Amino acid sequence: MASNHKSSAPRPISRGGIGLTGRPPSGIRPPSGNVRVATAMPPTTARPGSRGGPLGTGGVLSSQIKVADRPVTQQGLSGMKTGMKGPQRQILDKSYYLGLLRSKISELTTEINKLQKEIEMYNQENSVYLSYEKRAETLAVEIKDFQGQLADYNMLVDKLNTNTEMEEVMSDYNMLKAQNDRETQSMDVIFTERQAKEKQIRSVEEEVEQEKQAADGIIKNMSPEKQVKYIEMKTTNEKLLQELDTLQQQLDSLNMKKESLETEIAHSQVKQEAVLLYEKLYELESHRDQMIAEDKSMGSPMEERERLLKQVKEDNQEIASMERQLTDIKEKINQFSEEIRQLDMDLEEHQAWATLLLGLAAHTLNPLTEDRSRSVPVNLSTTPLRII
């Protein structure tokens, strides 16, 4: 029936009417429970009862309905034309967006103020923490001193509880005093050595600075071309040093990687076999590349035949020239051998003549010695020596 039927979805009013979608406007109270709003009726009319009777008035939209106002057509009940209009659709204009923007700005301002307060609190806590930290450092030093004193007092209490003699305490004191004196002397020696080293370092730094100044003076006295060349070489040296550092780092990393890989290989039999196979593969690949290069360098059989024939001819010519040189060398050797033999014969002949001359000289000098024994002076310069 029409009075008990509930519409599942509201329908808009045709020809300028508004549809009752969602919540009603805030200035209008909803109708009472016994009044139902028509889906296609103006707001001043209500749906009739089951037999055309009016419903009870209980809302703003309830009014007296006549059957003639709702004629029946072939398409069903048609809506009644009304002259008044209900509340129009709400338009979101500039003021709405400004209000929304102001609300967001206020929220951001509140959040910023909150964060600012937190930052101030954190800064205060940080300053307090730094002061506490400094105080903790001073207290730690005091605690360390008090701990040393407490250890001394505990040692004295132990000595008193164990009834230790005063002589033993004094001997311990003297021993510790001597140890402290030795350590003090060693510290003094170390301090003096440190001062000497620092002085030496300062002198070396001064010398280095003087050398730098001298080098700068030499550079300033250079010609412009040499200065430009020096600057270029200096930049090149810096670049090379940087490259050297990078390469050294790469080398160190590669050495570390190599050591780790060698360690892994040493602990794995499979990896050792793989390394052997890779080495064999590398040798075979190198041999293959060598054979391919030889094959590429080799020409056709006719070219190889001509090349070999040319090489044989060159070798034969070289052999013939070497044989000629060998023949010349043999002739020279024979000639030198003949000269050596002739020289040996001349030497033997000269040796025979020398032996004969020595014999004659000895025979000639014997009478002279006999006359000297008789005290007869003999003038050797006037005595002629005849050699046959």
Side-chain angles (χ1 to χ4, degrees):
M1 297 176 68
S3 61
N4 296 325
H5 179 70
K6 292 182 180 180
S7 62
S8 60
R11 291 181 296 173
I13 296 173
S14 60
R15 296 187 182 181
I18 65 169
L20 299 175
T21 58
R23 184 182 298 176
S26 59
I28 302 173
R29 292 181 60 188
S32 59
N34 56 354
V35 178
R36 298 182 58 85
V37 179
T39 57
M41 294 175 63
T44 56
T45 60
R47 187 182 294 268
S50 60
R51 295 188 179 182
L55 293 173
T57 60
V60 179
L61 299 178
S62 60
S63 62
Q64 191 70 24
I65 301 299
K66 295 181 180 180
V67 179
D69 294 335
R70 299 294 300 273
V72 179
T73 60
Q74 293 179 357
Q75 288 81 17
L77 296 175
S78 62
M80 184 177 64
K81 296 180 181 180
T82 60
M84 64 180 297
K85 297 181 180 179
Q88 299 296 323
R89 183 177 296 173
Q90 187 178 3
I91 298 172
L92 303 179
D93 55 354
K94 182 179 178 181
S95 61
Y96 170 77
Y97 288 108
L98 287 174
L100 186 62
L101 183 61
R102 290 192 187 95
S103 64
K104 295 296 182 183
I105 290 170
S106 63
E107 290 178 1
L108 290 173
T109 306
T110 306
E111 190 67 25
I112 289 168
N113 294 328
K114 183 180 178 181
L115 293 173
Q116 191 68 30
K117 290 179 180 179
E118 290 180 357
I119 290 168
E120 292 176 356
M121 188 181 296
Y122 174 76
N123 291 328
Q124 291 177 0
E125 290 178 356
N126 192 13
S127 62
V128 172
Y129 173 76
L130 292 175
S131 63
Y132 284 162
E133 188 176 3
K134 292 179 181 179
R135 187 177 177 184
E137 290 177 357
T138 56
L139 292 174
V141 174
E142 293 179 359
I143 288 168
K144 190 173 182 180
D145 296 335
F146 290 151
Q147 285 178 352
Q149 294 178 8
L150 180 63
D152 295 336
Y153 291 149
N154 289 329
M155 184 178 68
L156 289 175
V157 170
D158 292 336
K159 296 291 184 182
L160 292 173
N161 291 330
T162 55
N163 296 322
T164 307
E165 297 294 334
M166 190 65 184
E167 295 177 355
E168 186 177 355
V169 175
M170 291 301 295
S171 65
D172 293 338
Y173 169 76
N174 293 325
M175 183 178 65
L176 291 173
K177 188 174 184 301
Q179 185 178 357
N180 289 330
D181 293 336
R182 287 195 300 270
E183 290 179 355
T184 304
Q185 291 177 0
S186 64
M187 288 176 67
D188 292 336
V189 170
I190 293 169
F191 182 72
T192 53
E193 289 180 354
R194 180 182 176 183
Q195 287 183 343
K197 293 292 182 183
E198 289 178 353
K199 186 176 180 181
Q200 188 176 0
I201 289 167
R202 285 194 296 269
S203 64
V204 171
E205 288 177 353
E206 290 176 357
E207 291 178 358
V208 170
E209 189 65 27
Q210 291 176 0
E211 292 294 332
K212 285 183 179 180
Q213 292 178 359
D216 293 335
I218 292 169
I219 292 166
K220 289 179 180 178
N221 294 326
M222 287 182 181
S223 61
E225 293 83 4
K226 290 184 178 180
Q227 287 182 1
V228 172
K229 188 175 180 180
Y230 173 77
I231 292 169
E232 291 177 354
M233 294 176 70
K234 188 175 180 181
T235 54
T236 306
N237 186 20
E238 291 176 356
K239 289 180 181 178
L240 292 174
L241 288 173
Q242 291 177 0
E243 291 179 358
L244 180 62
D245 292 335
T246 55
L247 293 174
Q248 186 67 35
Q249 292 177 0
Q250 292 178 2
L251 180 62
D252 294 336
S253 63
L254 291 174
N255 286 329
M256 293 174 65
K257 188 175 181 181
K258 180 183 175 183
E259 291 177 357
S260 63
L261 291 174
E262 286 179 352
T263 305
E264 291 179 0
I265 290 169
H267 291 86
S268 177
Q269 186 69 25
V270 178
K271 291 182 179 179
Q272 292 178 3
E273 294 177 357
V275 169
L276 294 174
L277 292 173
Y278 273 115
E279 290 178 354
K280 189 175 181 180
L281 179 62
Y282 177 74
E283 292 177 358
L284 293 173
E285 287 179 351
S286 61
H287 185 62
R288 181 199 63 187
D289 295 336
Q290 185 179 1
M291 291 178 68
I292 290 170
E294 290 178 356
D295 190 14
K296 288 181 179 179
S297 63
M298 292 175 64
S300 62
M302 295 300 294
E303 292 176 353
E304 289 293 323
R305 183 173 177 276
E306 291 177 358
R307 185 177 64 80
L308 291 173
L309 287 173
K310 185 177 180 181
Q311 186 175 359
V312 168
K313 289 179 181 179
E314 292 176 355
D315 293 339
N316 290 331
Q317 291 176 1
E318 189 175 357
I319 289 168
S321 63
M322 291 176 70
E323 287 180 352
R324 287 194 297 271
Q325 292 176 4
L326 184 61
T327 304
D328 295 337
I329 291 168
K330 286 181 178 179
E331 290 177 356
K332 288 181 180 180
I333 290 170
N334 292 329
Q335 184 179 357
F336 289 149
S337 299
E338 185 66 25
E339 290 178 358
I340 291 168
R341 189 175 62 78
Q342 187 68 32
L343 289 172
D344 290 336
M345 292 175 64
D346 293 339
L347 182 62
E348 290 177 358
E349 186 176 356
H350 285 300
Q351 286 179 356
W353 280 104
T355 305
L356 180 60
L357 288 173
L358 289 172
L360 290 173
H363 182 69
T364 305
L365 291 173
N366 284 329
L368 295 175
T369 55
E370 291 177 358
D371 293 336
R372 185 175 293 177
S373 64
R374 294 175 184 176
S375 301
V376 177
V378 179
N379 192 1
L380 295 175
S381 61
T382 59
T383 303
L385 182 60
R386 189 176 180 182
I387 298 172
I388 300 173

